[in-house]
Amino acid sequence: MMKKWTFILYVLIIFSALSCSKEDEKLTPAIILGYDLRLCACCGGLMVDLGDDNTNDVYQWYQKNDEFGVTPEDTFPLKVKIMYHHLVQTCVASKGEIEITSLEKVK
């Protein structure tokens, strides 16, 4: 009987630890300015202003599928909350390239 309760306790601890790590991740406010229509070798994708330091640095994001629902029919600039990370050593015509892993449109 004691082994059963110990097992249940361990399972509960593991699930609570996993759920806490997901809740601790914060979404960052950002603005998707629109598609990068410049004609250059490293242009393209969507232009994203992270707005985190008031420098108006714009980053490029290449949406790989329709998972986040950003389409040409959206009205830009589009306010969003995102979870992202910077990509290194990419060919871009902006401050850098980011990969968005979570996106919520702000109404």
Side-chain angles (χ1 to χ4, degrees):
M1 182 71 168
M2 184 65 165
K3 287 183 181 182
K4 181 179 179 181
W5 285 109
T6 304
F7 175 76
I8 292 172
L9 181 62
Y10 283 131
V11 170
L12 288 174
I13 290 171
I14 290 171
F15 281 121
S16 66
L18 291 175
S19 66
C20 288
S21 65
K22 291 292 182 192
E23 291 177 33
D24 290 343
E25 296 177 2
K26 302 279 186 201
L27 295 175
T28 302
I31 299 172
I32 300 177
L33 301 172
Y35 288 92
D36 182 9
L37 301 177
R38 298 173 293 173
L39 300 175
C40 68
C42 297
C43 296
L46 287 155
M47 304 304 291
V48 181
D49 181 353
L50 298 177
D52 54 1
D53 56 8
N54 294 324
T55 60
N56 293 325
D57 287 334
V58 176
Y59 295 83
Q60 286 171 257
W61 169 51
Y62 295 95
Q63 183 175 222
K64 294 179 176 46
N65 55 38
D66 295 333
E67 176 183 358
F68 300 119
V70 178
T71 67
E73 288 77 32
D74 283 319
T75 303
F76 297 102
L78 180 64
K79 292 183 179 184
V80 294
K81 290 184 179 181
I82 61 172
M83 195 172 306
Y84 70 96
H85 60 272
H86 293 275
L87 300 176
V88 294
Q89 297 180 348
T90 58
C91 177
V92 292
S94 63
K95 181 71 175 174
E97 183 180 356
I98 60 171
E99 180 66 32
I100 295 177
T101 57
S102 180
L103 182 143
E104 294 178 7
K105 293 180 180 179
V106 177
K107 295 180 181 186

